[in-house]
Every structure is written in structure tokens, then in C-alpha cells.
Amino acid sequence: MAQSLSGTKSLGWLRRLDENLEKPLLFVGMLTIILVISFQTAYRYIITYMYSGSGAAVWTEELSRFVFIWISYLAIPLAIRNRSNIRVDIIYDRLSPRLQKMSWVVVDVCFLVLAGIIIEMGCTHISMMLEYPQTTPALQIPYAVAYLILPFGFSLMALRLVQDLVRQVRETGLIDALWAVAFCAAIAAPLALDVDYSALVLLFGYFLLFLVVGVPIAISLGLSALATIIGAGTLPIDYVAQTAFTSIDSFPIMAIPFFIAAGVFMGAGGLSRRLLALADEMVGSLPGGMALATIATCMFFAAISGSGPATVAAIGSLTIPAMVDRGYDKLFAAAVVAAAGAIGVMIPPSNPFVVYGISAQVSIGKLFLGGIVPGILTGLALMGYSYMISRKRGWQGETRTRNLATFTRAVWDAKWALMVPVIILGGIYGGIMTPTEAAAVAALYGLVVGVFVYREINLKNIVPCFMEACSTSAVVIILMAMATIFGNIMTIEEVPAKIAAFMLGLTENKFCILLLINLLLLWVGTFMEALAAIVILTPILLPIVLKVGVDPLHFGVIMVVNLAIGFVTPPVGVNLFVASGVAKCKIEGLSRVAMPLIVVMVGILLLITFVPEISLFLTR
């Protein structure tokens, strides 16, 4: 009996260890880089000012970059457990339940192959570094210590993949699982048999195949690049592991997890509810007042989160039930939130603008400025449509006392939330902070306000907040790492130049080229997530628009607004799925009601495309 009880306790302890293995490292790591970069900013402007000649804290950036790389790869196992990697589900959703189960076996096996190769190549790279040691410039630690994340992080991924594979085999059945493994072997057969295919056939053929099967986009990029390296000898195979580290060893990229963390902390800390109260005070008395307040709140929250789905989740959970209680159609309420949530990636800060700026080597600060007017125009257009529909259907605003005193009170209650855009944009454009530093300070600010001012972030939800920020950002970071490998092979094979020559052979008219690209991006947005589309398509499309005289800043705004509309377009509109989950309604009905809102947004897109000054006049 005692032995049985002891064994049960041991199993319980092991289960808890398994469930929380990554969490302490991720929590400490994310908190460390937020504090270190905030300290770096304060040190530069306070300490060096008070004690002139003391120098900058040069170690802070290097330490933050290495910790950032570590937590990015340590958070992927969390995404594997939650199956939250970005993938194209358009084929998967149409499969029978049996084939869906088999496809998960294929996904796990494919991911395991990539993880295994990076583990091996990572170990080889570290062995070389130990044989020929080098130290980092600021911290003076061996580079081998930093690169240790490759075998360690991908080994942890492999562990989670094996666990998921075991569970999936039990659910799928041994026979079907073996068929799935056989399918994986068939995929690899051309490489094993050394069939002579060109690099482009291997690169794009495998990429499309992996996407169709349901392999996450980041892993599809990495595996197709790996297959091309093996089959066509385009690059040395150890290039994959080395680039998995160097491609994200970048200070500007760190803005992404900070902006995501800031949005998570603001939502959990109660700032979104106070923003809604302010918006309701401003427009709530008009016909469709709650819908107008919802859109206005999404515009406010866009200046905090930088994420469309995060905006929908934070605002929709408050406004959709409120609109239904006031007599609005549930589908209309959900559609308004889904469409307005797309503004979250237009008004700065914006993660897609950060990704585009890094991919296109364009100023992130100027891209932020370029997105302000398009975001406001989109919000106003959606408000105009909602106002007309509400008047037509008799959805009146809430009748209550509204005056200067109530407005002033609402502004005062929302003051901590309203300070966030001031910190971010004022810091960047005042020359005080870089976008990455502004993002770190905003994340720290959101955390402090949520914990000590509003006290809505506490011991119960602080760890889930950090885990959400880490796992969400890590999915984006590994996507960028794998896209770098994929993009470099495209460059070697001159794919962007060939596509540019083809399109310019059709027409050299700038407006025709922009119209064709808009149609392409709108189509891509129906099945691919915005960040994935940006990292894949920017190297292809940017040379084309540059040759016809389009400003790369203007093109960045066009691309982001295009793909923001993709958040609301079926079948892979992420905002639609989030809104349907909040409203508990079917995606088909929601998609139908959202179509007029999408048409309104496309109208604004065309205006932005053919009137460049809308995007550029603030950047002059």
C-alpha cells in the first residue's frame, strides 16, 4: 500500500515536471529581457547624463539577444503541446476524421526529421567552436554557450513531438499510423533515390506538398529548404543549423515578443475594459453606439497590441455579449469585432510592420507612421457602415447622461492605457528610444500597471500571461528563421529576378502592377497568415515594385493592409475564428455577414494603393 502511494506521488511529481518543464525558463527569460532592455534605455538617458563619461551598458544588448534566442526556441515545445503553430488548414478541414488523425502523424514525423537534423548539425557546430574557441565581444563568454540552444532547444522539441506522436498513434490506430509513416517515406523517396530534379522544383514542390499535408508553415519552409540542399547541393547542409541561430540574432526582431507581451499584459491587466468605457462615452449615444464604441476601442487597442487576433480576443469578449444584450444581431456584432480587429496591425505598433521592415530593410519607425492614417481611415469607414446599418435596423445608442464631467471621468479612468501610445510613439519619434526599446518599456509598463495599479494581473494569471506572450512570439520567430533559409535559396536560384522579369513582361504600368499585386495578396490572405505571407513574398514582390517606382514604405503599407483584410476573409481568417469562438456562432454565417465589411476595407485599400500620400505624408 505504501509502495503504491509512493509510486503514485512519484508519477504525479513527474507529470507536473513534464507539464511545467519549459515554464520557469521562459518566465525568467522573458522577464529578464524586458528588464534588461528597459534598464539599457534608462541607463543611456539617466545614468550617463548624471555621470558623464561612464559609457553605455554595452553588455545589455548582447545578453538580451542571446536570452531572446533561447526563449524563442524553448517556447516552441509549448506551441507543439498546444498545437498552436501557424499552418494552412484549408485541405485538412475537408479531410475525413480518419485522414485528419493520420495527417497529425505525418506532421509530427516531418517535424521530427527537421529537429533531428538541426540537433546533429548543432552538435557538430558546437564541437567546432570548442576546437576553435571564440568569445562574444561584450560578455566575453564562449559562443558555444549561446549556440547550445540549438541541440538543447530542438531536443526538447523532439521530446514534445515524440509525446504527441505516441498520443496520436494511440488515437489513430497502429495500422493507420504505419500508413502515415509510409507516406512520409514516400515523400523522402526522391531524395533517397537521388532523382535528378532542379533546385526550384524541389524547393517549391516540397513546400507546397508540406503545406497541403498540414505541416506548420515554418517547418514546411525549413524542410523544403533542407530537401533542396540535400537533393540539389545548393548549400552546405550545416548552413541550416547555423542560420537557425544567426537569422534571429537581431536586435530589431526583439520588438516582436515585446509588443506581443505588452498586448497580453494590457488585456489581462484591465486596460481594454477602460478603453471601451471611454469609447462608449464618446460615441455610445449615436445609433449603433455600441458597435461604434467597439470599433473605436479596437483602434485604441491597436495602438497597444500590434496584433489583430489579440485585439479581437481582448475587445470581443467585452463587446459582443454587450451588443447582443442591447438587441444587436449576434453575427453582426461578431463581424464588426473581427473586421475592426484587423486595424490592430495597421495602427502602430504593428508586428507585420516590424517583420516587413526587417525583411525589406526599411525603417520600422517610418512604417509605423505610414500605418496611422490608413488605420484611422479603415476605422472611420467601418464606423460609417455600422452607423448606416444600425439606423436601418433600429439599433439605438444607450440613453444616459453624457457631459463633460462624465467624459473627463472616463478619460481619467483610461489614463494608464492612453499613456501607452505616448510611450511607444513618443519614445520612437522623439529620438529617445528605438522601436525595440520602446516595445520593452511598453511591456514593462503594462506589467507594472496590471500588477500594481489595477491589480488584475496576480499570482493566478501572471504565468499564463508570460507563457502566452512567449509561445505566440516564438511561432513568429521560428517562421522568420526558416524563411531566411528558404529565401536565401530563392536568391541563389534568382527566383525574385525571374518573377519580376515575368510580371514586367506583362506590363510596366505601375498601376496595373499594383492592382495585380493587390489581387495576389488578397488571394494569399484567404489561406495564409499575414506574417508568413510577408516573410515569403517580400523578397519576391519588392524588386518588382521598386522597378516601377513604388516607394518601399508605401508598398509596406499596401502589403500590411492587404493582409490585414486576410484576417477577416474565409476560409483562414484568424479574426473570424476568434470572433466566432467568443460569440459561439458558426463561421459560415459569420463569414457571410462580414462580406460587406470586407468590401468597405477593400475600398480603403484601393484608395491607399493609388493615393500614396495617404501613407507617406507623415513620413516626409
Side-chain angles (χ1 to χ4, degrees):
M1 181 71 177
Q3 286 182 340
S4 175
L5 187 60
S6 174
T8 303
K9 287 182 178 179
S10 298
L11 285 173
W13 181 83
L14 287 172
R15 192 176 294 111
R16 285 193 298 274
L17 176 64
D18 178 60
E19 290 175 354
N20 298 289
L21 190 58
E22 305 93 348
K23 291 180 181 179
L25 292 172
L26 293 175
F27 182 89
V28 171
M30 177 64 85
L31 185 60
T32 297
I33 59 176
I34 289 172
L35 292 174
V36 167
I37 296 301
S38 299
F39 166 78
Q40 172 181 291
T41 308
Y43 188 96
R44 187 169 63 247
Y45 287 100
I46 299 174
I47 298 177
T48 57
Y49 176 78
M50 292 173 62
Y51 304 99
S52 57
S54 61
V58 294
W59 56 270
T60 53
E61 182 178 323
E62 186 173 276
L63 173 64
S64 298
R65 289 200 329 267
F66 291 154
V67 173
F68 158 68
I69 295 169
W70 270 74
I71 64 173
S72 293
Y73 284 124
L74 287 177
I76 294 297
L78 215 59
I80 291 170
R81 290 192 64 181
N82 299 329
R83 290 187 171 176
S84 57
N85 274 298
I86 301 169
R87 52 185 243 150
V88 176
D89 286 328
I90 191 167
I91 302 296
Y92 172 86
D93 290 339
R94 285 160 176 75
L95 296 176
S96 66
R98 179 187 176 193
L99 290 177
Q100 286 182 346
K101 293 174 183 177
M102 292 172 68
S103 78
W104 277 110
V105 176
V106 174
V107 168
D108 285 340
V109 170
C110 290
F111 201 159
L112 266 172
V113 169
L114 180 65
I117 289 174
I118 293 180
I119 291 167
E120 183 184 350
M121 293 299 103
C123 290
T124 302
H125 201 68
I126 290 171
S127 297
M128 183 187 69
M129 288 180 163
L130 292 174
E131 188 174 349
Y132 305 100
Q134 290 181 312
T135 56
T136 63
L139 296 173
Q140 291 296 301
I141 61 172
Y143 267 109
V145 173
Y147 272 82
L148 191 63
I149 184 56
L150 294 178
F152 181 73
F154 279 87
S155 293
L156 193 52
M157 291 181 214
L159 171 64
R160 296 307 188 194
L161 287 165
V162 169
Q163 290 175 332
D164 191 74
L165 186 59
V166 170
R167 284 193 297 268
Q168 195 60 50
V169 168
R170 288 173 181 164
E171 186 179 339
T172 306
L174 184 59
I175 301 299
D176 281 352
L178 289 174
W179 277 114
V181 173
F183 179 77
C184 295
I187 292 174
L191 301 177
L193 298 173
D194 200 20
V195 178
D196 188 19
Y197 289 119
S198 71
L200 290 183
V201 170
L202 289 171
L203 186 68
F204 289 101
Y206 271 110
F207 178 59
L208 292 174
L209 176 61
F210 288 130
L211 285 186
V212 168
V213 170
V215 176
I217 295 174
I219 309 310
S220 298
L221 289 166
L223 282 171
S224 55
L226 183 64
T228 307
I229 289 170
I230 294 170
T234 312
L235 290 164
I237 194 169
D238 58 357
Y239 172 82
V240 174
Q242 186 177 347
T243 307
F245 187 95
T246 57
S247 61
I248 61 172
D249 184 14
S250 164
F251 191 68
I253 292 178
M254 290 175 60
I256 294 171
F258 291 146
F259 282 134
I260 290 173
V264 171
F265 297 152
M266 304 294 175
L271 278 74
S272 53
R273 190 171 64 254
R274 289 163 176 87
L275 287 173
L276 177 60
L278 174 60
D280 187 49
E281 186 65 34
M282 294 167 63
V283 295
S285 62
L286 298 172
M290 197 63 205
L292 301 182
T294 297
I295 298 168
T297 308
C298 286
M299 293 168 70
F300 282 136
F301 200 77
I304 295 174
S305 73
S307 165
T311 302
V312 175
I315 307 304
S317 58
L318 299 173
T319 61
I320 292 174
M323 278 194 274
V324 172
D325 287 344
R326 296 186 188 183
Y328 290 77
D329 176 71
K330 182 193 286 188
L331 292 175
F332 176 81
V336 164
V337 175
I343 302 170
V345 299
M346 300 181 203
I347 295 177
S350 162
N351 291 327
F353 276 138
V354 174
V355 174
Y356 174 82
I358 293 165
S359 301
Q361 297 297 298
V362 175
S363 166
I364 294 170
K366 287 187 175 181
L367 285 167
F368 282 0
L369 280 177
I372 293 174
V373 176
I376 293 173
L377 279 177
T378 303
L380 292 176
L382 292 174
M383 290 174 81
Y385 173 80
S386 300
Y387 176 82
M388 289 188 296
I389 292 296
S390 298
R391 283 198 65 178
K392 182 178 177 181
R393 300 188 181 180
W395 297 328
Q396 298 301 318
E398 184 184 19
T399 303
R400 61 177 175 82
T401 302
R402 285 181 169 85
N403 52 39
L404 182 60
T406 58
F407 175 74
T408 304
R409 192 180 308 117
V411 172
W412 181 253
D413 287 342
K415 62 184 180 296
W416 296 105
L418 296 174
M419 279 297 295
V420 179
V422 176
I423 292 171
I424 296 173
L425 301 181
I428 294 171
Y429 301 119
I432 301 170
M433 296 179 274
T434 66
T436 300
E437 290 171 340
V441 171
L444 179 61
Y445 176 88
L447 183 62
V448 169
V449 170
V451 172
F452 298 108
V453 179
Y454 293 143
R455 299 183 181 180
E456 294 191 27
I457 297 179
N458 49 47
L459 291 176
K460 292 182 179 179
N461 63 0
I462 190 168
V463 172
C465 284
F466 271 82
M467 294 309 104
E468 181 183 348
C470 288
S471 60
T472 303
S473 62
V475 168
V476 179
I477 300 306
I478 193 172
L479 177 65
M480 296 185 70
M482 297 298 116
T484 300
I485 304 167
F486 188 91
N488 286 347
I489 294 177
M490 282 202 305
T491 303
I492 290 170
E493 296 298 325
E494 299 182 332
V495 172
K498 290 174 182 175
I499 294 176
F502 171 75
M503 288 194 72
L504 293 171
L506 295 174
T507 176
E508 292 191 11
N509 182 282
K510 178 168 75 172
F511 299 108
C512 290
I513 290 287
L514 287 174
L515 188 58
L516 288 171
I517 289 175
N518 272 331
L519 291 172
L520 171 66
L521 290 173
L522 286 171
W523 175 70
V524 168
T526 63
F527 65 87
M528 186 174 287
E529 201 271 349
L531 296 175
I534 290 170
V535 295
I536 295 168
L537 294 177
T538 297
I540 295 173
L541 299 178
L542 188 61
I544 299 171
V545 297
L546 290 177
K547 286 189 177 180
V548 295
V550 177
D551 190 302
L553 279 171
H554 180 215
F555 181 65
V557 175
I558 292 171
M559 188 174 226
V560 169
V561 173
N562 257 296
L563 296 169
I565 296 172
F567 281 113
V568 200
T569 51
V572 193
V574 183
N575 286 10
L576 289 178
F577 284 103
V578 176
S580 69
V582 173
K584 296 180 174 57
C585 61
K586 290 195 174 183
I587 196 77
E588 294 84 0
L590 178 56
S591 301
R592 191 166 53 253
V593 174
M595 287 310 298
L597 294 162
I598 294 170
V599 171
V600 170
M601 296 172 76
V602 170
I604 298 297
L605 167 65
L606 293 175
L607 189 64
I608 293 164
T609 300
F610 297 118
V611 186
E613 283 306 308
I614 291 174
S615 306
L616 297 178
F617 83 94
L618 285 178
T619 67
R620 302 300 188 195

